Amino acid sequence: MRKSVNRFLAILAVLALAASTLLSPGSALALQTPSATYQPKFHGDPARSDSEAAALAYMRVVIRAQRQFNKQYDHFATSLAELVHSGSFTKRMVNPDRGDYTVSFEGKKDSFTLTMMPKQLDATHRSFYAEDDGKIRADEEKPADAKSPILK
């Protein structure tokens, strides 16, 4: 009985070693994690990462809420807090810390600007900019502004 237990443990150790070798990060057989490549959230999704997708979704909610607010009150909200309960904008969304991004909002009664700046600017964390025209602009080298290319 003792020999069979030892044999079983030896086989188990060999299998564990083989699995760890085959699945090591440098191995061609290493498993891909779901975040290794970005999966678009919808047809035509311009995001390059889950972080960008979340930032762009946030911007779309703010832009829609501003349009609704402007339609209802005949002027834009001057703060994010004013947008609470406009469209699907919630109280929780007032917080400028949006994960990998930080929100900057400047509102006037006749216009607004919204920027999303990543905590680390790179190819999968671009900066974004939008104003009252509703067009989202992106830049991967510097903070996005009104002169940045429109996101497609």
Side-chain angles (χ1 to χ4, degrees), residues 5-7 15 20 28-29 42 56 59 69 71 118 120 143 146:
V5 169
N6 285 342
R7 185 177 294 140
L15 288 174
S20 68
L29 296 176
F42 55 89
L56 290 168
M59 292 186 81
F69 189 95
K71 188 176 183 178
Q120 178 180 337

Side-chain angles (χ1 to χ4, degrees), residues 18 21 25 30 58 71-73 92 98 100 135:
T21 303
Y58 178 88
K71 188 176 183 178
Q72 184 174 358
Y73 298 105
R92 183 181 62 81
R98 311 302 310 163
D100 289 347
K135 295 177 184 169

Side-chain angles (χ1 to χ4, degrees), residues 17-70:
L17 179 62
S20 68
T21 303
L22 289 174
L23 299 177
S24 67
S27 168
L29 296 176
L31 296 175
Q32 290 281 331
T33 60
S35 62
T37 53
Y38 175 68
Q39 296 296 318
K41 307 298 180 220
F42 55 89
H43 179 70
D45 182 3
R48 296 180 181 170
S49 66
D50 287 330
S51 294
E52 279 196 3
L56 290 168
Y58 178 88
M59 292 186 81
R60 289 182 197 103
V61 169
V62 172
I63 291 167
R64 273 193 301 270
Q66 277 286 42
R67 285 184 179 150
Q68 184 172 342
F69 189 95
N70 189 30

Side-chain angles (χ1 to χ4, degrees), residues 4-152:
S4 63
V5 169
N6 285 342
R7 185 177 294 140
F8 174 75
L9 290 176
I11 291 171
L12 195 59
V14 169
L15 288 174
L17 179 62
S20 68
T21 303
L22 289 174
L23 299 177
S24 67
S27 168
L29 296 176
L31 296 175
Q32 290 281 331
T33 60
S35 62
T37 53
Y38 175 68
Q39 296 296 318
K41 307 298 180 220
F42 55 89
H43 179 70
D45 182 3
R48 296 180 181 170
S49 66
D50 287 330
S51 294
E52 279 196 3
L56 290 168
Y58 178 88
M59 292 186 81
R60 289 182 197 103
V61 169
V62 172
I63 291 167
R64 273 193 301 270
Q66 277 286 42
R67 285 184 179 150
Q68 184 172 342
F69 189 95
N70 189 30
K71 188 176 183 178
Q72 184 174 358
Y73 298 105
D74 201 30
H75 66 84
F76 291 111
T78 57
S79 70
L80 290 175
E82 268 188 285
L83 286 177
V84 174
H85 305 303
S86 266
S88 56
F89 195 86
T90 65
K91 187 175 182 179
R92 183 181 62 81
M93 296 175 77
V94 173
N95 183 352
D97 184 6
R98 311 302 310 163
D100 289 347
Y101 281 82
T102 302
V103 176
S104 177
F105 178 84
E106 291 184 33
K108 298 178 185 172
K109 293 202 179 238
D110 62 345
S111 66
F112 70 91
T113 59
L114 173 68
T115 58
M116 298 290 287
M117 189 66 191
K119 294 175 180 163
Q120 178 180 337
L121 190 62
D122 59 36
T124 59
H125 293 88
R126 297 171 289 177
S127 61
F128 301 107
Y129 171 91
E131 51 190 35
D132 46 278
D133 66 1
K135 295 177 184 169
I136 298 175
R137 299 172 179 276
D139 200 308
E140 63 183 58
E141 297 175 1
K142 62 180 177 45
D145 58 24
K147 297 176 184 171
S148 298
I150 295 172
L151 192 65
K152 297 190 180 199

